[in-house]
Amino acid sequence: MAATPSRFPTRFDRAALLLIAFVALKLAFHVLLNTRYGFHRDELATLANARHLDWGYVAYPPLAPFLGRVALALFGPSLTGFRFFAALAQSVAIVVSALIARELGGHRAAMFLAAAATAIAPISLGASSLFQYVSFDYLWFVLTAYFVVRLVGSEDARWWIAIGITIGLAIETKYTAAFFIAGLICGVLVTPLRSYLASKWLWIGTALAILIALPNLVWQWQHDFVTLDFLRHIHERDVRIGRTAGFVTDQLLVAANPLTLPLWLLGLYLVFVSARGRRYRVLGWMALVPFALLLLAQGRGYYVAPIYPMLFAAGATELERICNPRQRCGGAWRTRRSSS
């Protein structure tokens, strides 16, 4: 079977330029307005840890404080400089969501719809305005989803290297990465991607993820896994005061904008129900499993927010096809040809 050709843009076409302009304006918006209120208490904690770098901290892995240290070195203790990387990470996530739509066969309308839906998500707007590990955790999962789509579309097992790197970075950013990793593992096991279990590239990617995460795991071992106690107490507090009670409603009000509800539901329908989306069903499992696990674990509603950009992309691609049925669709919906 011949691999589906990639639809990654090879030139700066008009759609790409318009997308870049849109994201640049959003980044400029946050850079200009992120000084209108002072440091958040969580930012102050990250700022303090950034001045005392280590391979681990009680509250979180080391990547966010490291990026904070880079921001301090480049910009000094300024609000604009300290929050720049958070805003940049969210801008990149918007671009990647559009690229996922393109890889799934979407054209200009689908790309812009996926990008706009990601941009107006309340969690993305908030993560663009404060320096928190949520900003980077969001980006790593969106990138992982993009690399998975490239893997499925190209059938090039070497994409497991990129997947492994982003998973390693996610683990070094926020421990809820474990829930998203569980979704990917489930998606691999219950879809044709399980054939890659025999590929050396999957195991090389796995080794890279472990290698990137290893320094923090060693730090945790040296400190008697103190973070587990901290997270248990924080979770018990959140449940006690009702912060986890609105998990489902938070999907509409925090993780994704209410206006985008039809879009991500269409994305779920496409990858789980429609025959056109069967090839990319792994995306459905990457969304459903973290959602179910976090719901059962009584997690905060915004923890599951990174699943939505890939669903926006899938829904936007299908909506574009519905609105313009004569438009040729590629990527996920192109019939694969038999090689002679």
Side-chain angles (χ1 to χ4, degrees):
M1 304 293 281
T4 300
S6 171
R7 305 184 74 252
F8 189 84
T10 57
R11 59 187 177 85
F12 284 112
D13 57 18
R14 185 178 178 185
L17 289 173
L18 289 173
L19 179 63
I20 291 172
F22 168 71
V23 172
L25 285 173
K26 182 181 184 298
L27 178 61
F29 170 83
H30 286 289
V31 169
L32 291 174
L33 297 182
N34 275 355
T35 60
R36 298 182 66 84
Y37 44 89
F39 285 105
H40 187 273
R41 61 188 179 189
D42 291 344
E43 289 180 304
L44 291 174
T46 306
L47 191 61
N49 289 329
R51 293 192 170 102
H52 302 89
L53 292 181
D54 203 343
W55 286 114
Y57 303 90
V58 173
Y60 38 58
L63 187 55
F66 172 75
L67 294 174
R69 179 65 169 266
V70 174
L72 282 174
L74 292 176
F75 309 113
S78 74
L79 281 168
T80 300
F82 191 63
R83 292 168 174 166
F84 174 78
F85 286 126
L88 179 62
Q90 290 304 299
S91 296
V92 174
I94 291 169
V95 173
V96 176
S97 68
L99 293 180
I100 293 174
R102 185 160 185 159
E103 286 298 320
L104 292 176
H107 298 270
R108 185 182 303 169
M111 292 174 65
F112 276 98
L113 187 56
T118 302
I120 65 173
I123 187 65
S124 181
L125 291 169
S128 300
S129 304
L130 296 174
F131 186 99
Q132 295 179 312
Y133 48 65
V134 175
S135 308
F136 309 103
D137 167 68
Y138 193 94
L139 171 61
W140 302 139
F141 186 76
V142 176
L143 274 172
T144 299
Y146 171 69
F147 294 143
V148 169
V149 169
R150 294 300 306 273
L151 169 72
V152 175
S154 68
E155 298 182 351
D156 186 344
R158 289 173 294 183
W159 281 107
W160 282 112
I161 293 179
I163 293 169
I165 291 172
T166 51
I167 287 176
L169 293 172
I171 296 171
E172 290 291 83
T173 302
K174 195 169 185 280
Y175 294 119
T176 51
F179 295 97
F180 301 105
I181 295 170
L184 177 58
I185 292 173
C186 180
V188 169
L189 293 178
V190 301
T191 69
L193 287 180
R194 58 183 172 271
S195 64
Y196 285 109
L197 293 172
S199 169
K200 68 176 182 180
W201 297 108
L202 181 148
W203 299 108
I204 291 174
T206 301
L208 284 172
I210 294 172
L211 184 63
I212 293 171
L214 187 60
N216 181 245
L217 294 177
V218 171
W219 185 93
Q220 290 290 346
W221 178 76
Q222 292 174 336
H223 294 81
D224 299 319
F225 293 92
V226 63
T227 300
L228 294 179
D229 288 332
F230 173 79
L231 294 177
R232 177 172 59 84
H233 286 293
I234 290 295
H235 179 64
E236 290 174 352
R237 180 206 64 184
D238 288 344
V239 172
R240 185 176 65 253
I241 65 179
R243 285 184 174 177
T244 64
F247 184 89
V248 175
T249 55
D250 280 350
Q251 305 312 306
L252 299 177
L253 303 177
V254 180
N257 193 295
L259 295 175
T260 62
L261 174 63
L263 193 63
W264 61 262
L265 287 178
L266 182 59
L268 275 175
Y269 169 82
L270 189 62
V271 297
F272 262 129
V273 181
S274 172
R276 288 186 301 277
R278 183 178 296 119
R279 191 180 180 197
Y280 288 90
R281 192 150 295 169
V282 61
L283 298 182
W285 291 109
M286 289 171 64
L288 182 62
V289 171
F291 182 91
L293 291 177
L294 285 164
L295 177 62
L296 291 173
Q298 293 184 287
R300 300 284 297 275
Y302 72 87
Y303 290 173
V304 78
I307 71 172
Y308 289 100
M310 64 182 182
L311 297 180
F312 294 153
T317 302
E318 179 65 359
L319 183 61
E320 183 184 57
R321 187 196 67 82
I322 293 171
C323 293
N324 189 2
R326 293 185 300 174
Q327 186 178 63
R328 289 187 60 189
C329 295
W333 330 130
R334 180 183 289 117
T335 302
R336 297 170 66 188
R337 304 171 187 172
S338 299
S339 57
S340 57

